[in-house]
Amino acid sequence: VGDENGKINLNLADRDLLVKMFTSLNLELSEADKLADAILDWRDQNDDIHINGAEKKDYIQTNLSYGPRNAPFQSIEELQFVLGITPQLYKKLEPMLTVYSRGATPNQNKAPPEVLNVLNNDLEMGQSRQSAKAENGLDSGAAEITATGADTETDAGSQSASDSEDGSDSAANFAGAGNGAYSIYAEALLSDGHTGQIQVLARPGGRSATMFDIVSWKYITERTKMSEQNNSNVTTSNFNY
């Protein structure tokens, strides 16, 4: 079970975080700038183009029959329509992203390894800037922005008192949270010898008679995974409610 609050929110992340997300995948800074601005142009509510971004005319010039939504992403799968996002790149980004977290920056205590890599790179850059300030005689006591994008003292105080030491919630807190969303991965060995996996996005405390509302689910077999690695065309079940 993974907490969506540990992922990067496509609708809330600022430009700097988006750029760092792309550079963590070893993309050149110039390419990261273009992709970050294209995401901003997709989700903002106007046709004003960011410096390196893409609006409708750019999509048309690329022989695409659509332009940016000019509204928030409805799902992370929608990222695949953004100009410059290839299927290979999307596969690397998918584990990092969400549209269901509550903050503009991920909660480090709940972040998957891919997101921690982005945040740790950000922290190292912040520490380098702090060292440079100290060497130049600047005030090193000023509040610094941490990798989570919040003042250290404020961020620490905002953490839930119910979180355990390893950053995971108790079962009772998980079931009764009433908000937030969780990715649930279940895997089993099928009768034909292949591995089957169900990926579910669920929100606890929903309107239904059960403890959870199912937002989406996807069924994947090991055969599907192998086909995806070979860049074959694969159809998987993916239902959004």
Side-chain angles (χ1 to χ4, degrees), residues 6-104:
K7 296 182 180 180
I8 297 170
N9 192 312
L10 266 178
N11 291 322
L12 301 178
D14 63 18
R15 187 182 189 279
D16 285 346
L17 181 56
L18 292 173
V19 168
K20 288 159 188 166
M21 176 181 72
F22 287 117
T23 56
S24 75
L25 298 176
N26 298 320
L27 271 66
E28 295 292 335
L29 182 58
S30 58
E31 183 65 16
D33 283 333
K34 290 180 182 179
L35 294 172
D37 280 351
I39 289 175
L40 296 178
D41 282 331
W42 183 277
R43 76 188 195 192
D44 64 22
Q45 298 182 13
N46 57 59
D47 292 321
D48 299 332
I49 189 169
H50 286 75
I51 295 177
N52 302 297
E55 285 291 353
K56 188 172 183 179
K57 64 180 181 63
D58 300 288
Y59 286 77
I60 293 174
Q61 290 173 359
T62 318
N63 296 321
L64 294 172
S65 59
Y66 61 89
R69 177 184 290 278
N70 287 341
F73 287 86
Q74 295 185 345
S75 68
I76 64 170
E77 288 81 8
E78 191 177 325
L79 178 63
Q80 297 172 92
F81 293 99
V82 172
L83 196 64
I85 301 295
T86 64
Q88 295 79 11
L89 180 56
Y90 175 75
K91 287 296 180 184
K92 296 178 181 179
L93 293 169
E94 187 178 17
M96 306 185 195
L97 297 171
T98 185
V99 295
Y100 294 101
S101 67
R102 299 187 297 272

